Amino acid sequence: PTATRSPSPTAATPKPASSYAKPTKLCPAEEPMARKPAPPILESDLPETARDLVRLVGWAKAEALIRELGGIPFPVPKGADNNPAGAARYARLAEIVGHRGAERIVAEYGDDILHIPNCKTAIARARMRAMRARCDAGATLEEIALEFGCTTRWVSMVLKRPDDGSGAVLEMGGQMGLF
């Protein structure tokens, strides 16, 4: 048999969250870090569909579409006013890439399903190249890890991977690259 103790009436009760004082200003170490621009992605790293989107609407709008709808199949309508569902999809597309961009995508992929890539491999390769460039510029493993939000072990593993001579980091280094 276990005995349960009732709290003593003199026990301190926690204060409600609203009664705690909130700091007015963060110290420099606690301030949120400003988001740095993403490392440049090489067009050769992009999948074919992403390259087609860049050709149709330009890099900035293709990037916006990939960020917004990447990884999902998108049924491209036949036109702006084909039917209510198609009109809604066209409006969504035009919201992201503009009306000219939406018209170009509809002209190329109308009445088809556009598999919008998420470009994770291309983004990862760009991050690896950026890590290597920071190391070449004299940054320490710790500085690179903090900048990219990863561990020093991961940075070390990335830096040990061979490249193909043009600066592109190969996927698998060491003996695993033989298979």
Side-chain angles (χ1 to χ4, degrees):
T2 59
T4 58
R5 238 189 240 183
S6 62
S8 73
T10 59
T13 57
K15 293 182 182 180
S18 61
S19 67
Y20 288 111
K22 295 180 181 174
T24 56
K25 186 176 179 185
L26 296 173
C27 69
E30 294 176 343
E31 289 181 12
M33 293 176 54
R35 188 174 179 140
K36 295 186 178 189
I41 297 174
L42 298 178
E43 189 173 332
S44 60
D45 287 342
L46 294 173
E48 184 179 346
T49 307
R51 287 191 298 254
D52 286 344
L53 288 171
V54 170
R55 177 182 52 82
L56 290 171
V57 298
W59 173 249
K61 292 179 181 178
E63 182 181 18
L65 184 63
I66 290 166
R67 286 187 191 282
E68 191 73 25
L69 300 174
I72 65 164
F74 184 79
V76 180
K78 289 181 183 178
D81 299 320
N82 192 32
N83 60 42
R89 286 192 302 270
Y90 183 88
R92 178 77 173 124
L93 193 59
E95 177 184 314
I96 298 169
V97 299
H99 286 289
R100 277 184 75 194
E103 288 171 1
R104 289 179 176 172
I105 291 173
V106 166
E108 183 88 13
Y109 295 102
D111 201 27
D112 200 1
I113 295 179
L114 174 62
H115 295 277
I116 302 170
N118 59 18
C119 300
K120 285 187 177 186
T121 302
I123 293 168
R125 288 179 181 167
R127 280 178 50 94
M128 288 184 227
R129 281 191 301 274
M131 285 181 190
R132 190 169 272 188
R134 288 286 291 131
C135 180
D136 291 345
T140 65
L141 291 178
E142 292 80 10
E143 291 170 340
I144 297 170
L146 288 173
E147 182 177 334
F148 288 92
C150 59
T151 65
T152 54
R153 176 153 169 76
W154 177 250
V155 173
S156 178
M157 289 172 60
V158 166
L159 296 177
K160 288 179 183 177
R161 290 182 180 186
D163 64 25
D164 65 358
S166 68
V169 179
L170 299 177
E171 291 303 309
M172 298 297 287
Q175 290 184 350
M176 292 306 293
L178 298 174
F179 300 102

